[in-house]
Amino acid sequence: MGLDQYAFRVDENGERSEIAYWRKHNRLQGWMENLYTKKGGTEEFNCVDVELGWDDIVQLEQDITNRSLPHTQGFFFGNDSYGIDPAVVQPEDNGMYEDLHNDLQFCETAKLALDCNDTVVYSCWW
């Protein structure tokens, strides 16, 4: 058991194809839950989709690059995504942020999907 996270590309026919998968990336979960709430989501953020627009992806990319994804805890969420105390993470500590490359790759893939007029959604299950 644990936190499983997915991003999907949804075409005009509603066909979903997975473009990213993460396991127990708790900081990304916190970021997405904040976005879900900001967009008016009221249900528990589990097994629900949040749609990501261009501005959301750009902001996510900036927050990933700046190492400012929020510290997030949950029973099934695993250890801190950054691997150390969030108060002492420095931007040059690339090795401490194991998901950095995958997260940035997701942002690029999501932008390509949006450029093709597809929708990008994030969903989690824990």
Side-chain angles (χ1 to χ4, degrees), residues 86-118:
V88 296
V89 172
Q90 300 297 314
E92 61 273 8
D93 290 339
N94 290 339
M96 302 311 274
Y97 180 6
E98 295 178 9
D99 294 301
L100 175 67
H101 176 74
N102 292 338
D103 292 352
L104 292 174
Q105 181 61 50
F106 160 69
C107 290
E108 289 305 311
T109 302
K111 286 179 190 177
L112 291 172
L114 293 171
D115 281 343
C116 293
N117 295 319
D118 287 345

Side-chain angles (χ1 to χ4, degrees), residues 3-9 16 18-23 28-29 32 48-50 52 106 120-126:
L3 173 62
D4 291 296
Q5 303 150 270
Y6 307 88
F8 297 98
R9 177 181 187 156
R16 293 165 71 110
E18 185 178 302
I19 58 173
Y21 170 78
W22 300 269
R23 175 105 173 119
L28 179 66
Q29 177 70 7
M32 293 292 182
V48 296
D49 290 346
V50 61
L52 300 162
F106 160 69
V120 175
V121 295
Y122 171 92
S123 186
C124 66
W125 180 78
W126 48 269

Side-chain angles (χ1 to χ4, degrees), residues 38-82:
K38 180 180 171 184
K39 290 185 174 215
T42 58
E43 298 175 48
E44 180 177 55
F45 191 59
N46 185 24
C47 298
V48 296
D49 290 346
V50 61
E51 185 175 329
L52 300 162
W54 185 268
D55 291 341
D56 302 323
I57 297 298
V58 169
Q59 184 62 57
L60 176 60
E61 190 171 41
Q62 289 173 357
D63 290 344
I64 289 166
T65 301
N66 294 331
R67 315 300 194 276
S68 58
L69 297 178
H71 180 70
T72 305
Q73 295 179 323
F75 184 76
F76 297 110
F77 291 9
N79 295 328
D80 187 355
S81 299
Y82 287 166

